[in-house]
Amino acid sequence: MELSALAKYPFLREASAFIRSEGVTLEELLSEPAYARARALGRTRVHEALEKGPESPRVAIAPADQLSQLLAYPVARILVSALGDTYLTRRFALREAIAAEGLLGQDSDEAILHVAAELPMDLRREDGGFRIHFSDFLRFTNTMRDAPWKLINQPLERGYVTLRRQKALRVLRNAVQRHIEQGLPLPVNDDIVAAFKSDLSEIRGLLEAKKATFKAEDIGKVSITRFPPCMYNLLAQIQNHENVPHMGRFAIVAFLHHIGLGNEEIFRVFGDVPDFAADVTKYQIDHITGASSPTEYTPPECSTMKSYGICPGPDRICLTIKHPLSYYRIKGRERRPRGESASTAT
Amino acid sequence: MASMAAGMAVADPAKEATTRFLRSQFHRYYECTKPTLPDRFGRREFGFMFWTPGIVQRHLGFSKEEELKDFLVSRVPTHAYYSSAYYDHPNAPTMEEKGWLGADLVFDLDADHLPKAASMSYPEMLEAIRLKIVHLYDDFLQSDFGFDPKSMRLVFSGGRGYHIHVFDERVWSLGSHERREIVDYVTGKGLEVGSVFRESAFDRKDFQGHTRVKTRLVAPTSEDPGWRGKIMRGVNGLAAKLEGLSPNEAIKFLTSFEGVTDADASNLYENLFKPRATKPRIIRGIDRLREGQIESLSDRSRDLIIRLVKELQPVRDEAQAGVSLEGIVQRGETDEPVTSDIKRLIRMPSSLHGKTGLQVVTLSRGAIDDFRPLRDAVPKTWTEDRIRVNLKNKITMEIRGEVFNLAPGVNDVPQYLAIFLAARGLATVVPEA
């Protein structure tokens, strides 16, 4: 791929190979004035991961700008790694993946196939659209639990699911997100921390402020003081209009259902999630709770929550359990000392 | 000790002689049989059951064929299993220490899941399951999932069912959720009619600032991939079934579904079969339906026929199961927990099933068409030697091509039959005086 394309898809192996071949060293990237623009762009990307609103344009015309765009990516990864925060890492990967989805949407089919091959994903062209091997379809849509994404509702033939372009891009986004997340954190040394000292403290400030807004309010008859940190955070994010990933919404719905909330009450919690139409949410809730489906889903166990990056890190009780529901049960038995906050997540 | 003694049955010479007999025959079998090793044999956990009910030995790993054979010959298990999963340390006691690396995809169809299993004979049950497993193999795993026959293994369980092991490496790393999606696909769970019939706009009128768009459902063709084709074949199959019945029978059949009124049924019937004078030729609803025009039916009839086809997916009772709607009635009813369980133990091919004395047999797709368990899964090791057995009830059955009609009480029967009856608990071996 050309530099112009690598600048758009900097998470590709080719992109890092390109940087190596250009002879840009880490030290230079951290300190050379020539790379000040790349550093600024990298910082912006991390900021954007924590904010709502449109991202800055990523298509550069001049080769120098393209190189800066490309180098901004390792800078951003270094910053994210130095902060070592699961929430930030996930937000960053999501943001980058959404950006890639948007760019690929305007790009050629060849570019899409090229990116897919690197992830790797068995995606091929098929008259007017694409087809993907069902195993990759399942792997990369396993966080999407609504009916239109169920395998049974896909045209499956000889091992391949036919997808329209837009749907293929949506699957690709998930794969990119996972690819980016799995590559983080990078090992970070003291030099790096020193070089980005002020940037890091600024981002840490933003992150803290963000997390401080995660204060869940009591709902119905359940006691949020008994929630495990993961569910507490998810609930808070929803109440704060954060865009919670699919797996997170699935987990909290199943959790609320199992601790005794009715579907109507759960729906009210979700009532104002920004990007989901009311009927979709209602549909999902009914599906997860078994009202409209044969399965009454249980929330994922701790190990699954961890692998999806939804676990904010264990607290004292978490260390003794394997499932978020156990936390609620245990916490119901012991009385919390006065003054201890429900937010035990760090 | 006192409680243990109380829990143990009073010594029963017939029972002891039976166990001794079976154990020595199983021993002989394992001595002269080379075990069939699964691929990545050393990465699998093995589990066994023995002659005392309830004793299970799990978490065993073998690195050499001789080790496994020695184990089988010296311990003589009643049942032998290995894991569908591969592990770093198959013999570690906990899942965490084992280190899960991946797992085959296993489908298990057992006669227990047949609605009428209780009223069927053993060969009838096995035959019904054999048809289902072939359907699962051909119409789902091969045609939809595209698995190469080289990466699938058909196995007769030695008991009441058949298994399919899929060891295509692309499925190894799939987690439980992904495997459940595969089971849902095969069992028709979660199918959305909207994904089968697409709404398509065919007329658009602008009137005083409002836009009115007329839509119609576009039907897939029978050749469409996945469930679309299956549903369409179902709709056509149901229509063809109705066409073959007299109007009265057809209405009766339709109203046998829950909540279908006489009026709904006659309406649908009329929609399908009443000739309509349309230019340039007289045509019936069913003819247009066959051309893929689902909108030839009234909305009410259309919804009804779709609902019926959807309802025909699960096998509900024999009256409806008798209709062969390709891909729908014969849906693969697979044992769900097994397929989505990524740590499950499965029966080891070439081992013996302790409840029948039959062999767990690996079959090719070609071989299964003509496979008859009571003829083909009786181990060659079993001889014709006469064994004196005591029958609880009269026995009429065919095994190894011989028909037996035996009266209750003491009978001398060939060893191969004695083993089958003793293992199934239908006979005891008469202890030598």
Side-chain angles (χ1 to χ4, degrees):
Chain A
M1 273 186 154
E2 310 249 313
L3 172 59
S4 59
L6 295 177
K8 287 193 276 182
Y9 314 116
F11 48 85
L12 298 176
R13 269 194 307 275
E14 278 172 83
S16 29
F18 182 91
I19 294 173
R20 269 196 304 281
S21 72
E22 287 289 291
V24 184
T25 66
L26 182 62
E27 292 74 45
E28 289 168 343
L29 187 57
L30 297 184
S31 53
E32 287 282 322
Y35 301 120
R37 170 119 179 94
R39 288 195 295 273
L41 286 171
R43 196 161 47 228
T44 309
R45 291 195 180 188
V46 181
H47 280 229
E48 280 174 0
L50 286 170
E51 285 156 13
K52 283 198 265 275
E55 69 249 5
S56 49
R58 300 230 170 149
V59 184
I61 310 295
D65 287 343
Q66 289 171 348
L67 186 62
S68 296
Q69 285 282 4
L70 175 57
L71 291 173
Y73 180 72
V75 170
R77 287 178 77 212
I78 289 168
L79 289 171
V80 169
S81 302
L83 285 157
D85 182 89
T86 331
Y87 172 74
L88 176 64
T89 307
R90 218 205 64 234
R91 294 290 308 182
F92 172 72
L94 175 64
R95 196 72 194 220
E96 291 295 311
I98 291 175
E101 184 188 9
L103 292 167
L104 283 168
Q106 291 154 27
D107 217 323
S108 64
D109 286 359
E110 283 74 18
I112 291 174
L113 295 178
H114 192 96
V115 170
E118 268 228 20
L119 289 169
M121 179 197 277
D122 183 356
L123 188 77
R124 300 163 189 216
R125 210 164 355 184
E126 164 121 330
D127 43 62
F130 293 89
R131 64 192 171 107
I132 180 174
H133 192 261
F134 81 88
S135 58
D136 283 338
F137 177 85
L138 289 175
R139 225 185 299 281
F140 295 121
T141 60
N142 65 1
T143 49
M144 295 151 84
R145 301 288 168 106
D146 36 347
W149 288 100
K150 270 189 85 65
L151 183 63
I152 192 172
N153 294 318
Q154 315 305 322
L156 173 63
E157 191 177 25
R158 301 268 152 214
Y160 287 84
V161 172
T162 312
L163 293 174
R164 279 186 248 177
R165 198 172 206 269
Q166 204 189 354
K167 238 179 144 176
L169 287 170
R170 184 63 187 79
V171 180
L172 205 50
R173 183 230 273 190
N174 288 359
V176 170
Q177 184 185 350
R178 215 167 286 182
H179 171 82
I180 294 174
E181 249 180 72
Q182 279 164 0
L184 291 170
L186 302 165
V188 179
N189 60 33
D190 292 348
D191 292 348
I192 293 174
V193 176
F196 286 113
K197 198 162 186 276
S198 67
D199 290 328
L200 289 172
S201 78
E202 190 191 345
I203 298 165
R204 194 172 289 120
L206 276 176
L207 190 60
E208 294 307 322
K210 188 95 196 163
K211 285 188 167 179
T213 64
F214 296 169
K215 282 269 185 288
E217 289 161 30
D218 267 317
I219 37 166
K221 56 186 177 236
V222 301
S223 160
I224 57 163
T225 57
R226 284 167 60 189
F227 278 32
C230 52
M231 297 299 170
Y232 183 89
N233 276 5
L234 288 170
L235 179 63
Q237 286 173 31
I238 287 161
Q239 290 178 337
N240 284 288
H241 313 281
E242 285 287 315
N243 194 359
V244 175
H246 207 97
M247 190 58 171
R249 278 183 293 141
F250 168 79
I252 186 79
V253 169
F255 181 81
L256 294 173
H257 170 69
H258 276 273
I259 61 172
L261 237 53
N263 286 13
E264 203 42 54
E265 288 169 295
I266 300 174
F267 180 64
R268 277 201 295 278
V269 172
F270 274 81
D272 40 19
V273 176
D275 64 340
F276 285 90
D279 57 331
V280 174
T281 308
K282 200 156 182 49
Y283 174 86
Q284 290 172 337
I285 293 170
D286 287 345
H287 184 80
I288 295 167
T289 58
S292 66
S293 71
T295 318
E296 181 187 348
Y297 290 91
T298 320
E301 56 185 6
C302 294
S303 58
T304 314
M305 297 288 283
K306 279 184 199 136
S307 66
Y308 282 102
I310 316 171
C311 170
D315 74 356
R316 173 174 58 86
I317 295 180
C318 293
L319 294 174
T320 67
I321 56 163
K322 286 181 176 159
H323 198 284
L325 279 171
S326 317
Y327 192 103
Y328 191 79
R329 227 180 20 249
I330 291 172
K331 205 90 175 198
R333 285 203 296 264
E334 62 172 46
R335 290 264 50 93
R336 176 191 300 280
R338 245 170 229 286
E340 190 181 315
S341 155
S343 174
T344 39
T346 48
Chain B
M1 284 312 282
S3 65
M4 243 184 95
M8 268 157 65
V10 184
D12 174 346
K15 203 175 164 193
E16 277 174 11
T18 308
T19 305
R20 219 167 31 241
F21 165 71
L22 285 174
R23 194 180 186 281
S24 73
Q25 298 311 324
F26 274 42
H27 173 80
R28 202 160 58 80
Y29 171 85
Y30 283 121
E31 234 173 12
C32 57
T33 308
K34 186 178 152 65
T36 307
L37 300 187
D39 20 20
R40 283 166 309 285
F41 158 71
R43 289 263 171 247
R44 308 216 190 219
E45 174 196 353
F46 282 75
F48 302 94
M49 282 161 78
F50 301 95
W51 302 89
T52 315
I55 305 284
V56 182
Q57 192 170 3
R58 285 193 67 164
H59 312 301
L60 292 170
F62 296 98
S63 50
K64 287 199 212 82
E65 183 182 323
E66 300 82 71
E67 285 175 25
L68 174 62
K69 179 155 181 175
D70 287 349
F71 184 95
L72 294 169
V73 171
S74 62
R75 302 289 309 275
V76 196
T78 43
H79 302 276
Y81 307 87
Y82 58 67
S83 61
S84 60
Y86 316 118
Y87 301 102
D88 255 336
H89 306 287
N91 47 5
T94 66
M95 284 302 156
E96 219 150 68
E97 292 166 82
K98 275 185 172 28
W100 191 85
L101 299 171
D104 295 340
L105 187 63
V106 178
F107 296 88
D108 177 351
L109 270 79
D110 199 277
D112 296 339
H113 300 280
L114 288 176
K116 287 254 165 142
S119 65
M120 291 167 120
S121 72
Y122 183 72
E124 280 169 350
M125 269 175 346
L126 287 170
E127 181 59 11
I129 293 294
R130 193 183 63 80
L131 292 175
K132 276 173 183 271
I133 202 99
V134 164
H135 177 54
L136 174 63
Y137 187 102
D138 291 352
D139 300 331
F140 287 92
L141 301 183
Q142 217 183 334
S143 125
D144 289 0
F145 286 93
F147 291 124
D148 188 318
K150 286 199 214 62
S151 54
M152 288 195 279
R153 187 186 301 122
L154 275 163
V155 177
F156 167 62
S157 76
R160 291 150 58 90
Y162 288 87
H163 306 161
I164 300 177
H165 306 178
V166 179
F167 39 96
D168 184 320
E169 48 186 278
R170 283 175 296 193
V171 306
W172 287 351
S173 64
L174 296 180
S176 316
H177 173 74
E178 290 94 307
R179 285 165 202 258
R180 176 152 285 285
E181 280 289 293
I182 294 175
V183 176
D184 284 356
Y185 185 96
V186 165
T187 56
K189 208 178 269 178
L191 182 69
E192 295 257 296
V193 177
S195 74
V196 176
F197 300 94
R198 268 208 298 267
E199 270 190 58
S200 149
F202 73 97
D203 189 33
R204 185 191 161 96
K205 281 200 182 83
D206 291 313
F207 178 71
Q208 294 185 342
H210 297 283
T211 308
R212 202 186 126 91
V213 181
K214 282 191 185 171
T215 59
R216 66 175 167 208
L217 285 181
V218 180
T221 70
S222 307
E223 290 80 42
D224 267 14
W227 273 88
R228 291 189 197 178
K230 291 183 207 300
I231 283 284
M232 228 27 225
R233 292 193 291 273
V235 167
N236 287 328
L238 182 59
K241 152 99 184 172
L242 294 173
E243 194 176 24
L245 298 174
S246 73
N248 279 343
E249 287 168 343
I251 305 282
K252 206 174 142 206
F253 176 76
L254 289 171
T255 50
S256 75
F257 288 86
E258 207 177 305
V260 179
T261 63
D262 278 340
D264 289 337
S266 339
N267 207 307
L268 174 60
Y269 189 82
E270 197 165 293
N271 253 246
L272 284 170
F273 302 110
K274 192 179 173 192
R276 268 179 279 178
T278 43
K279 285 172 193 167
R281 58 192 168 121
I282 293 173
I283 197 162
R284 300 170 308 161
I286 188 173
D287 305 318
R288 296 185 58 194
L289 186 67
R290 287 191 175 129
E291 290 160 14
Q293 298 183 50
I294 193 90
E295 73 277 14
S296 67
L297 303 175
S298 73
D299 287 5
R300 219 178 142 77
S301 294
R302 179 199 66 206
D303 291 348
L304 177 61
I305 196 166
I306 293 169
R307 205 201 91 196
L308 296 185
V309 169
K310 265 186 89 179
E311 271 193 38
L312 274 168
Q313 293 160 37
V315 183
R316 296 198 316 168
D317 60 50
E318 285 305 299
Q320 286 152 7
V323 200
S324 178
L325 297 182
E326 201 253 341
I328 291 181
V329 165
Q330 302 171 11
R331 69 175 191 147
E333 279 214 346
T334 166
D335 193 356
E336 299 182 23
V338 182
T339 310
S340 55
D341 186 346
I342 54 173
K343 305 164 203 153
R344 168 78 184 239
L345 296 182
I346 50 181
R347 221 169 251 286
M348 176 181 141
S350 85
S351 67
L352 293 175
H353 190 298
K355 287 253 155 63
T356 58
L358 297 178
Q359 209 175 340
V360 181
V361 182
T362 305
L363 298 159
S364 68
R365 172 63 191 85
I368 198 178
D369 284 337
D370 193 37
F371 182 76
R372 299 293 175 269
L374 286 177
R375 183 188 65 200
D376 304 321
V378 180
K380 295 204 171 42
T381 324
W382 299 170
T383 67
E384 314 248 329
D385 296 351
R386 307 303 280 183
I387 304 290
R388 182 154 294 177
V389 295
N390 197 348
L391 298 181
K392 287 179 183 157
N393 302 299
K394 77 175 172 88
I395 297 286
T396 304
M397 69 174 293
E398 185 179 333
I399 182 167
R400 248 195 203 173
E402 289 284 326
V403 179
F404 294 91
N405 279 301
L406 304 171
V410 175
N411 287 270
D412 287 341
V413 299
Q415 191 191 69
Y416 60 81
L417 177 61
I419 293 172
F420 179 79
L421 295 176
R424 291 206 76 197
L426 300 172
T428 52
V429 173
V430 176
E432 281 168 42

